[in-house]
Amino acid sequence: MIDKFVRSAAEALDGVPDGATVLLAGFGDVGMPMALLEGLIEQGAKDLVLVCNSGGRDGSPVARLLTLGRVRKLVCTFIRAASDAGRLLLAGKLEVEVIPQGTLAERLRAAGAGIPAFYTPTAADTVLAEGREVRDIGGRRCLLEYPLPGDVALIDAWQADRWGNLTYRDTQRNFNPVMAMAAPLTVVQTRHVVELGAIPPEQVITSGIFVNRVLHVPG
Amino acid sequence: MIDKFVRSAAEALDGVPDGATVLLAGFGDVGMPMALLEGLIEQGAKDLVLVCNSGGRDGSPVARLLTLGRVRKLVCTFIRAASDAGRLLLAGKLEVEVIPQGTLAERLRAAGAGIPAFYTPTAADTVLAEGREVRDIGGRRCLLEYPLPGDVALIDAWQADRWGNLTYRDTQRNFNPVMAMAAPLTVVQTRHVVELGAIPPEQVITSGIFVNRVLHVPG
Amino acid sequence: MADSFTPLDRDGMAARAARDIPEGWVVNLGIGIPTEVGNFIPDDREVILHSENGVIGAGPAPAPGQVNPYLVNAGTQPITLRIGAGYVHHADSFAIARGGHLDLTVLGAFEVSETGDLANWARAAHEPVKQIGGAMDLAIGAKRLWVIMEHTTKDGAPRLRRRCSYPLTAKGAVKRVYTNLAVLDVTPGGFVVRDIIPGLSFEGLQARTEARLSRE
Amino acid sequence: MADSFTPLDRDGMAARAARDIPEGWVVNLGIGIPTEVGNFIPDDREVILHSENGVIGAGPAPAPGQVNPYLVNAGTQPITLRIGAGYVHHADSFAIARGGHLDLTVLGAFEVSETGDLANWARAAHEPVKQIGGAMDLAIGAKRLWVIMEHTTKDGAPRLRRRCSYPLTAKGAVKRVYTNLAVLDVTPGGFVVRDIIPGLSFEGLQARTEARLSRE
């Protein structure tokens, strides 16, 4: 019987190695798997590459992971000077790559979908294109972009069954379904546990085939 | 008030010009909008480019559109010699482009998602790659593929509301959500009409923002 | 002869832009004043607001005590949903933006050039702290891009420029600009003034603008 | 000394392959004999069958009179669903295939080469009538690709070849072949025989094979 539930955050994060690329879903705090992030802080892996929409508000678990010096590089879509992440960056203690949000989403999607590269007009006319491959397609400048796979993805769900089928509530969805497909180890925290079959097949948003471990984190 | 319902197949297909590229969803007969296809036959547009998973079983509306000589070119993923489509092809009366099914789906997706080109390993080591742009990415041969947009998409849905939000039943889904995004004119036939708001926001599969016209075809 | 006029405030600019959005449009409202445009679209005019984090059909801010912590907009502010709304994930959400499915995107800006270049994400090309967010994707993808911004900086420096002095977000993308002084279209011939606030002359507006203005 | 043996029939080949599929794998079964593999996976072994038209968790054929016309597999045959199944659209379905999310794909073939090349879609490179379907995407994407096919053609011509004579579907993709005579792994050293049906000798198998075989 397939059963992907684990009993603790320690079990959920077991084996994440130093140097791992961690895909962390969420937009602000919404859809961010806070218990797994705390678990990652406990677990101890360091020299991480963290892929996350932003550097996080000060005092948040993301900011804590950064200020603990556990992250070598942050890939995100924005960062403020007046934030923990910004201060670490300006102090030379954190490598940061800031990319457009749609390009981040599409690079993650490409990683999950087996697309080895794609072109996008996004940022092609900006300084972000400096020194990079640009191609004219249909009269439009386009940038070549590559997939952004993770070693592990940390996911926040509303419901999960033992196969790892997931639903999300409202804008909790955001990066979660995309990141869940983009790493060989996908770890989920879910608010609710449901019986297999309780999620109607038309309403499964992330299939269990993308999920490896599920931790029940109520409320 | 936004209201995308039309009263007849004639109204649904109004204005489809000669030479149009028509995206026709469905896999076999499942998820194929038969009433709209009949409507297209009635409507009279010719010299069409038809994009559809296959040439259709003999006697089907797809085959009828082909044998009526209304299609200049068929883009599909397979065609049998012993079929209406196959006989037309062998008689030199139909141009046919056969492409891999995943590449078809991804080229449609690229059209809807504003991706001007992408690479895929699919078919890169086959005769389909002859004379085309191939690139080594991460040690793997990849083919450059371009979007496949339509002028009109014909869609089969289970439920629709007046904004054009759609659900699908079982494998009716197939190409429908992808094609619905890939044409500036998206025409839907739906089995059921529901009030705006009756489809919970988490369960909308195709958003009404991709839909232009909806025809109620019960049963 | 000095002009005597009262520039629009934030609400005035947002309301002015809202007037021009017809029923049925799918619209992304950027962070800042653009977000406030939503407050001035009457309830009975069905405009579908898209938010980058996957909302199609965003509604106004919730009443106090009615906040749903799972429902926020692209500025991570609590919102409500319109009846008829739906959700998508982040890649599908930017497929909407990049794929040309937005009738309109409204963004804030530092500067707009007379060729429609947009600069709204950085003050210097290579500063390490960057705030890109979704602006570049939104700017290149929308059928129409409008900008709402003050006509000049606090110091009176013009923001409607011949060329942008700040790093670009997108090139040739802006179609219309709503400022606290005027509404201007970006045309192949440069900025064309569509509307000026009462009491301000065309010459007075030109004096506050670096780019050359035309009358309609 | 002639071998005396009974080649496996279609069911026998399907059952033999089914034996090697462990619980928890996500598996795509191609059209033809591969589809029948599903009939030989015991109900209590949870194997998740993927179908290109967007099914994750396909079940066996329905009982007569129980057909759901909206539910078919990649061969457009009526199927049922397993409890726990879900649906995706066609682009997401091939994201699963291309993106490496299938533990196993099982396809039919005309020929397999000793380097794992697969030929299963055309008899001639440039014949106009082509049946590609999803095979090329499935072949390049799966973690493991197995082939089920008769060991030789009806005329006795070998199908396990040094090089494929038919147009390729994918290069170096096949990991294992189940025939009516044997189970063979494709290794860097060519075909290695894992299993031969009772009564057939290694030499007898080699005589029916163009490629050079090795013993385990």
Side-chain angles (χ1 to χ4, degrees):
Chain A
M1 200 177 84
I2 299 169
D3 185 357
K4 296 181 179 169
F5 285 105
V6 295
R7 270 147 301 270
S8 66
E11 200 181 333
L13 278 310
D14 186 47
V16 174
D18 292 351
T21 294
V22 177
L23 309 181
L24 176 64
F27 189 82
D29 286 355
V30 180
M32 184 172 284
M34 293 298 181
L36 295 179
L37 197 45
E38 302 279 3
L40 185 64
I41 291 170
E42 284 300 307
Q43 191 261 11
K46 58 183 193 295
D47 201 27
L48 301 170
V49 175
L50 183 68
V51 180
C52 184
N53 186 62
S54 83
R57 60 181 168 76
D58 289 3
S60 68
V62 184
R64 204 138 57 83
L65 191 71
L66 297 175
T67 52
L68 285 170
R70 302 270 293 283
V71 176
R72 177 175 65 76
K73 181 179 176 182
L74 173 67
V75 180
C76 63
T77 78
F78 74 92
I79 188 168
R80 292 197 180 85
S83 72
D84 287 336
R87 282 182 290 269
L88 285 166
L89 164 59
L90 292 172
K93 290 178 176 163
L94 178 66
E95 187 185 342
V96 177
E97 185 182 354
V98 185
I99 63 179
Q101 203 171 123
T103 296
L104 172 61
E106 191 66 12
R107 289 180 61 194
L108 291 163
R109 193 264 174 191
I115 297 297
F118 64 90
Y119 289 94
T120 175
T122 301
D125 290 316
T126 76
V127 295
L128 300 184
E130 282 175 9
R132 296 178 49 199
E133 183 172 334
V134 171
R135 179 175 182 141
D136 185 290
I137 303 178
R140 204 160 188 197
R141 277 168 68 87
C142 295
L143 260 179
L144 182 64
E145 297 281 356
Y146 291 96
L148 183 53
D151 297 302
V152 56
L154 305 184
I155 300 301
D156 188 48
W158 183 246
Q159 295 174 304
D161 62 29
R162 66 177 172 82
W163 280 11
N165 290 311
L166 309 179
T167 67
Y168 306 95
R169 179 175 164 188
D170 299 313
T171 55
Q172 179 191 26
R173 189 178 303 197
N174 62 63
F175 282 100
N176 280 292
V178 187
M179 288 184 170
M181 293 180 63
L185 175 61
T186 292
V187 183
V188 175
Q189 77 171 64
T190 183
R191 212 70 76 255
H192 301 282
V193 169
V194 300
E195 284 298 305
L196 194 70
I199 306 172
E202 283 91 351
Q203 296 172 27
V204 172
I205 302 298
T206 292
S207 167
I209 68 171
F210 306 120
V211 170
N212 302 90
R213 301 172 187 172
V214 183
L215 179 67
H216 186 202
V217 180
Chain B
M1 199 176 82
I2 299 169
D3 185 357
K4 296 179 180 171
F5 286 104
V6 295
R7 271 148 300 271
S8 66
E11 199 181 333
L13 278 309
D14 185 48
V16 174
D18 291 352
T21 295
V22 178
L23 309 181
L24 177 63
F27 189 83
D29 286 356
V30 181
M32 184 173 283
M34 293 299 179
L36 295 179
L37 196 47
E38 302 279 1
L40 184 63
I41 291 171
E42 284 299 308
Q43 190 261 9
K46 58 182 192 296
D47 200 28
L48 301 171
V49 176
L50 184 67
V51 180
C52 185
N53 186 62
S54 84
R57 59 182 169 77
D58 289 3
S60 68
V62 184
R64 204 140 56 85
L65 190 71
L66 297 174
T67 52
L68 285 169
R70 303 271 293 284
V71 175
R72 178 176 63 77
K73 181 179 176 183
L74 172 66
V75 180
C76 64
T77 78
F78 75 92
I79 188 167
R80 291 194 181 85
S83 72
D84 288 335
R87 282 182 290 271
L88 285 165
L89 164 59
L90 292 171
K93 290 179 176 163
L94 178 66
E95 185 186 343
V96 177
E97 184 183 354
V98 185
I99 63 178
Q101 202 171 123
T103 296
L104 172 61
E106 190 67 12
R107 288 180 62 194
L108 291 164
R109 193 262 173 193
I115 297 297
F118 64 91
Y119 289 94
T120 175
T122 300
D125 290 316
T126 76
V127 295
L128 300 184
E130 280 175 10
R132 296 177 50 198
E133 182 170 335
V134 171
R135 179 176 183 140
D136 186 288
I137 303 177
R140 204 160 190 198
R141 277 169 67 87
C142 296
L143 261 179
L144 183 64
E145 297 282 358
Y146 291 97
L148 183 53
D151 296 304
V152 55
L154 304 185
I155 300 301
D156 188 46
W158 184 246
Q159 294 174 304
D161 63 30
R162 65 177 172 82
W163 280 13
N165 291 310
L166 309 179
T167 67
Y168 306 96
R169 179 176 164 186
D170 299 312
T171 56
Q172 181 190 26
R173 192 179 303 196
N174 63 62
F175 283 101
N176 280 293
V178 186
M179 287 184 170
M181 292 178 64
L185 175 60
T186 293
V187 183
V188 176
Q189 77 172 64
T190 183
R191 213 71 75 254
H192 301 283
V193 169
V194 299
E195 284 298 305
L196 194 70
I199 306 171
E202 282 91 351
Q203 296 171 28
V204 172
I205 302 299
T206 291
S207 167
I209 67 170
F210 306 120
V211 171
N212 302 92
R213 302 173 187 171
V214 184
L215 179 67
H216 186 201
V217 181
Chain C
M1 188 181 65
D3 292 318
S4 164
F5 62 91
T6 309
L8 298 177
D9 60 9
R10 291 168 62 98
D11 277 2
M13 294 162 72
R16 179 64 191 81
R19 243 169 64 190
D20 294 343
I21 301 176
E23 179 158 271
W25 274 17
V26 183
V27 180
N28 183 293
L29 300 174
I31 291 167
I33 307 180
T35 299
E36 296 176 28
V37 171
N39 300 336
F40 294 94
I41 298 172
D43 276 353
D44 61 352
R45 194 196 301 166
E46 294 192 330
V47 171
I48 299 176
L49 300 182
H50 165 262
S51 195
E52 296 96 293
N53 57 325
V55 186
I56 306 172
Q66 300 291 310
V67 169
N68 170 353
Y70 287 87
L71 181 50
V72 298
N73 65 12
T76 68
Q77 301 162 307
I79 55 167
T80 54
L81 277 196
R82 276 195 85 115
I83 290 172
Y87 296 113
V88 290
H89 62 53
H90 238 90
D92 280 350
S93 185
F94 278 94
I96 291 171
R98 204 192 305 101
H101 304 285
L102 298 173
D103 294 297
L104 170 67
T105 289
V106 187
L107 295 176
F110 300 144
E111 296 177 335
V112 174
S113 83
E114 62 189 9
T115 56
D117 294 354
L118 171 69
N120 78 346
W121 71 281
R123 302 282 181 176
H126 297 99
E127 62 183 14
V129 178
K130 296 182 171 72
Q131 298 186 41
I132 301 178
M136 290 182 184
D137 310 275
L138 288 164
I140 58 95
K143 285 180 197 156
R144 300 168 191 82
L145 176 62
W146 295 354
V147 161
I148 302 186
M149 64 179 187
E150 308 278 330
H151 204 89
T152 60
T153 67
K154 279 174 196 152
D155 304 333
R159 304 172 96 166
L160 291 157
R161 310 287 301 249
R162 272 191 285 268
R163 286 162 186 272
C164 292
S165 64
Y166 292 132
L168 294 192
T169 305
K171 213 166 172 170
V174 180
K175 292 286 170 286
R176 183 176 284 184
V177 184
Y178 293 83
T179 76
N180 52 343
L181 303 182
V183 180
L184 309 98
D185 279 345
V186 179
T187 76
F191 288 113
V192 175
V193 180
R194 296 293 179 208
D195 206 358
I196 307 187
I197 58 165
L200 178 61
S201 65
F202 178 84
E203 291 71 22
L205 186 69
Q206 178 67 75
R208 289 163 174 83
T209 310
E210 185 200 82
R212 173 85 184 274
L213 305 180
S214 319
R215 295 170 210 249
E216 201 161 1
Chain D
M1 187 180 66
D3 293 320
S4 163
F5 61 91
T6 308
L8 298 177
D9 61 8
R10 291 168 62 99
D11 277 1
M13 294 162 72
R16 180 63 190 82
R19 243 170 63 191
D20 294 343
I21 300 176
E23 179 158 272
W25 274 16
V26 183
V27 180
N28 184 292
L29 300 174
I31 291 166
I33 308 180
T35 299
E36 296 176 27
V37 172
N39 301 336
F40 295 95
I41 297 172
D43 276 353
D44 62 351
R45 193 197 301 165
E46 295 192 331
V47 171
I48 299 175
L49 299 183
H50 166 262
S51 195
E52 295 96 294
N53 56 326
V55 186
I56 306 171
Q66 300 290 312
V67 169
N68 170 355
Y70 288 87
L71 181 51
V72 297
N73 65 12
T76 67
Q77 301 162 307
I79 55 168
T80 54
L81 277 195
R82 277 195 85 115
I83 290 172
Y87 296 114
V88 291
H89 62 53
H90 239 90
D92 280 352
S93 185
F94 278 93
I96 291 171
R98 203 191 305 101
H101 304 285
L102 297 173
D103 294 297
L104 171 66
T105 288
V106 187
L107 296 176
F110 299 144
E111 297 176 333
V112 174
S113 83
E114 62 188 11
T115 56
D117 295 354
L118 171 69
N120 79 346
W121 72 281
R123 302 282 181 177
H126 297 100
E127 63 183 13
V129 178
K130 295 183 173 71
Q131 298 186 39
I132 301 179
M136 291 185 184
D137 310 277
L138 288 165
I140 59 96
K143 285 180 196 156
R144 299 168 192 82
L145 176 62
W146 295 353
V147 161
I148 302 186
M149 64 179 185
E150 307 281 329
H151 204 88
T152 60
T153 67
K154 279 172 196 153
D155 305 332
R159 304 172 97 166
L160 292 155
R161 310 288 300 248
R162 274 192 284 269
R163 286 163 185 271
C164 292
S165 65
Y166 291 133
L168 295 191
T169 305
K171 214 168 175 172
V174 180
K175 293 284 171 285
R176 181 176 285 185
V177 184
Y178 292 83
T179 77
N180 52 343
L181 303 182
V183 180
L184 309 98
D185 279 345
V186 180
T187 74
F191 288 113
V192 175
V193 179
R194 297 292 179 208
D195 206 356
I196 307 187
I197 58 165
L200 178 60
S201 66
F202 177 85
E203 292 71 22
L205 186 69
Q206 178 66 75
R208 290 165 175 83
T209 309
E210 184 199 83
R212 173 88 184 274
L213 304 179
S214 320
R215 294 170 210 250
E216 200 162 358

